[in-house]
Amino acid sequence: MKRPILALALILMTAPVCAADTTMATGDLGLVVERTTGSLLAVDRSEHAAIGRIEGLGDLSHASITYSPDERFAYVFGRDGGLTKVNMLSQAIVKRVLQAGNSIGGAISDDGKLIAVSNYEPGGVRVFDADTLEMVADIPLNAKTIGLVDLPRRRFAWATWDSGEAWMADFSGPEMVLTKLGDVGKNPYDAVLTDDGRTFLIGLFGEKGVTAIDLWADKPEPVRFLKDYGKDQEDLPVYKMPHLQGWAFTGDQFVLPAVGQHELLWVDRRSLTETARTKTHGQPVFIIAQPGSPYVWVNFATPLNDTVQVVDSRNHQVVKTLTPGEGVLHMEFAPRGAEVWISVRDADKVKVFDSFDYHLIAEIAAQSPSGIFFTSRAHRIGL
Amino acid sequence: MYKPAAFVLLAVFMLSGPAIADITPERAERLEHMILQDCGSCHGLTRAGGLGKPLTRKALAGAAPEGLALIILDGVPGTAMPPWRPLLTEDEAMWIANYLLKEAK
């Protein structure tokens, strides 16, 4: 988006004019979570610039954000149970509710009408009206909820850390229908929906392996795979839980973090068999596919979190190692993949790199930045 | 009220060393940063808990610092609490334990 002032100057030059067009659009905006200060930095993707700061959002460690279908509102899920609705145009908080004591993430329904939040304390999922933030459903499951995703047709799915179950809530009819999708294994740490909306992938911490549920099946059932990785190696300490929400699906493969190993695991999408492993710099945290390319980008757990590696999915080789600085917490691609925004916590900066030649395009000052969320997420399934 | 596990009690007798460790101010600053950021990723920035238990002064009240230091060094096997021994000395773990017990949060 161009700055209004520039637009104004242009309009004044092209006479005659009736009124200056100061209308703003939000399609290339985003929010950066500033976790220690409980604030959000509003950024303009085209300008590579910060355009405002929104304060008063509470404890934003592990915060995540989804957007309304018109990209006008952001819904921010904070650690302290806060659900905050932010107007991207006025860059102000519209509404904020403390909906639980301790929460971990959320999702918006495909029609943009429902906001679901996954909670640790009390456990379970709560669903809110996207307009008013009034609660419309409370699904207490007596377990910490992880990996909450939206599914087409006003449905949500998630897994539970303590009890190792996967669940689906369907809001397409007059009454919510809750279905248990199955027992998925010990201590699922995160889950993700594949880009085609077909497979719900659930990573396990308490035992080796990953569970897949085919949601296109008439009777979806959990299928365990990668059961044996790292069996003959000693597990390394995991100083930060990996995340799966990165859409690391390239071509015919999924790529997943090995838990307790400094490796990526490549899996054939259809057969769910392992095709290759890549040794990495550290314990992978995020593995994110660079849109429109064969590459995935990986960051790592502390104390090796100053580095990002780029891996080619065709030959599973590391093709580039970058060191943006201490505390690389998140990476967000421009929707068509041309550039990647990387939050470097201890440098108090977001660094923007060209995804193809890796040169530094811009740096944006931010206070202990963590998650970066562009408004284009509004149009992606399963986030 | 904090209920220490049996192995923690045992550990208290095993861990010897100075109660107040010799930590330089620079190192103390790094450790504080680590508690906030690295421990915070599981225990919350305000230490109110997350995947890991709350580590507030209230939640830990009554715990022996030596016991906490051993948990920090060796982790809690079978849970997500990792061993920090590869990254911390025993003195540093004691410093963190005392910090958790004293710093208001």
Side-chain angles (χ1 to χ4, degrees), chain A residues 290-367:
Chain A
Q290 175 184 331
S293 86
Y295 304 109
V296 299
W297 292 53
V298 189
N299 74 333
F300 305 99
T302 186
L304 299 168
N305 63 7
D306 64 341
T307 298
V308 167
Q309 288 187 309
V310 185
V311 186
D312 187 332
S313 63
R314 293 166 296 185
N315 57 16
H316 312 111
Q317 301 290 312
V318 174
V319 294
K320 185 73 186 175
T321 298
L322 295 167
T323 45
E326 290 290 328
V328 169
L329 294 190
H330 197 218
M331 302 166 284
E332 176 89 332
F333 281 94
R336 300 191 197 194
E339 57 187 42
V340 59
W341 289 45
I342 297 179
S343 52
V344 190
R345 185 194 62 209
D346 294 357
D348 287 322
K349 274 178 190 152
V350 171
K351 297 191 177 181
V352 184
F353 292 92
D354 182 297
S355 339
F356 291 95
D357 68 14
Y358 313 114
H359 84 272
L360 183 69
I361 298 173
E363 293 187 346
I364 299 160
Q367 302 160 359

